[in-house]
Amino acid sequence: MNKPQSIVKLTLQARDLKVEDPNSNGNTCCKIFTKTVNAEKWEEAGDTELVTSSLNPNYKKEFKIQVTYKKSKLIKIIIYEFFANDLQKIGKVVFSLSDLSINGPTTFNIKKYDEVSGHIIVTSQIHHLDEQLRVQIRGKNLVNKDPFNFRSPYFKLFRLRKGQDSFQFYKSEVIEESLNPLWSQSYFNLYDVCGDNMRIPIKIEVWDSNPLLKDVLMGEGYTSVDQILDKKSIVLRKNKKFKGVIEIVEAEIIDHRMRASF
């Protein structure tokens, strides 16, 4: 059994809930379920308290979800209205932990029969355990068509989230006047990079630093933690044109108790 590497704490708020009965008092609660991607059955993780007289409730209960990186986890939240001594479903939402913002709120649509019946705001707080990703990369044959302008490249890393804006989690140092730069090794908390899914896309952008003018995008490419650990090179492109290659020099996951090289 894989041990958890992180604990994610979730709190819930709902907004603009739509109830069918106009005489409703707006008494609502949520049930939360989890499962790994390939599992057949959902497991109930608990339910919130009942919040009365509000269609924009803030639930106080906190949920703790254990994260194991090689088992991507899904979350299902069902919102109910308590009316006439019965629970009536307002709607539900299903998402992956990797869709959540890091230590912040993420808003999802609540749906019932494909109709939006409100919104839920999921706020996550991450308690990291032991694992870090250590990486060193270099550029190879970065393209420079201007012989009078020596390139000074740096790179940015972005975590891509389904249906949401990308999240920049790293910016490297600048290597002066080089088309084959070797950047310093970098350390990242594994959850910050990929959530609970080591196959989630990561975008790398390589920029030319120009303090006098604007920095210029030299090229971009895509990878994942799985591919980084396999040391698969990343092809850079700009406007579909080849702009060089990023090579993985070193990559390993470092644990507080042990160190395993890949």
Side-chain angles (χ1 to χ4, degrees):
M1 180 176 180
N2 293 325
K3 64 180 178 60
Q5 282 82 28
S6 293
I7 301 293
V8 181
K9 298 179 180 179
L10 304 179
T11 54
L12 309 177
Q13 300 169 285
R15 295 292 180 265
D16 305 319
L17 296 179
K18 297 178 182 179
V19 295
E20 295 183 1
D21 196 313
N23 297 316
S24 168
N25 293 322
N27 303 330
T28 66
C29 65
C30 299
K31 289 184 179 292
I32 187 167
F33 303 82
T34 68
K35 73 168 187 173
T36 55
V37 170
N38 296 322
E40 294 183 2
K41 295 183 178 179
W42 290 92
E43 296 181 1
E44 186 169 346
D47 48 17
T48 67
E49 73 280 12
L50 183 71
V51 175
T52 60
S53 305
S54 177
L55 296 178
N56 297 282
N58 298 323
Y59 303 103
K60 295 181 180 179
K61 183 170 180 178
E62 183 178 79
F63 298 91
K64 296 180 181 180
I65 310 296
Q66 293 185 343
V67 176
T68 301
Y69 300 115
K70 295 186 178 181
K71 291 188 176 182
S72 183
K73 186 159 287 188
L74 298 176
I75 305 293
K76 178 170 68 175
I77 300 171
I78 303 177
I79 301 184
Y80 294 94
E81 175 193 12
F82 185 73
F83 182 69
N85 294 320
D86 192 19
L87 288 177
Q88 301 177 11
K89 186 162 74 171
I90 295 175
K92 70 176 182 178
V93 61
V94 178
F95 57 89
S96 167
L97 281 180
S98 56
D99 294 330
L100 294 175
S101 299
I102 299 173
N103 291 328
T106 307
T107 302
F108 299 96
N109 288 334
I110 303 162
K111 290 189 176 183
K112 183 178 182 181
Y113 306 127
D114 295 325
E115 296 289 333
V116 175
S117 54
H119 311 281
I120 192 156
I121 303 168
V122 182
T123 301
S124 64
Q125 291 183 327
I126 303 164
H127 174 63
H128 300 300
L129 299 182
D130 299 302
E131 292 190 324
Q132 284 190 315
L133 176 66
R134 183 179 71 84
V135 181
Q136 185 175 31
I137 70 173
R138 65 183 169 213
K140 183 176 180 181
N141 299 328
L142 302 182
V143 174
N144 179 19
K145 292 188 175 181
D146 185 356
F148 301 102
N149 183 13
F150 296 100
R151 300 296 186 181
S152 297
Y154 65 91
F155 69 89
K156 300 177 183 178
L157 294 176
F158 299 83
R159 171 178 156 183
L160 304 185
R161 296 176 295 169
K162 184 178 179 181
Q164 302 179 56
D165 293 336
S166 58
F167 173 80
Q168 181 181 330
F169 64 87
Y170 185 72
K171 179 180 176 180
S172 76
E173 81 277 21
V174 175
I175 304 297
E176 299 290 342
E177 299 183 358
S178 175
L179 295 178
N180 295 280
L182 176 64
W183 287 284
S184 301
Q185 63 182 0
S186 308
Y187 292 83
F188 311 101
N189 185 280
L190 194 54
Y191 189 89
D192 291 346
V193 176
C194 64
D196 65 334
N197 182 1
M198 289 200 289
R199 295 182 299 276
I200 194 169
I202 297 169
K203 181 170 75 169
I204 180 169
E205 295 180 350
V206 178
W207 291 76
D208 173 35
S209 176
N210 191 329
L212 299 180
L213 300 173
K214 289 181 64 175
D215 291 359
V216 176
L217 177 66
M218 298 179 68
E220 63 183 21
Y222 297 87
T223 186
S224 66
V225 172
D226 271 350
Q227 293 176 349
I228 289 171
L229 292 173
D230 288 339
K231 297 186 178 179
K232 292 185 178 180
S233 296
I234 306 162
V235 175
L236 299 176
R237 299 187 185 278
K238 184 178 179 181
N239 298 325
K240 299 184 180 180
K241 295 182 179 180
F242 177 81
K243 294 296 179 180
V245 173
I246 294 295
E247 295 183 336
I248 311 300
V249 180
E250 296 182 73
E252 67 175 350
I253 292 176
I254 300 173
D255 191 280
H256 181 262
R257 293 169 294 274
M258 67 179 184
R259 188 165 165 155
S261 182
F262 293 79

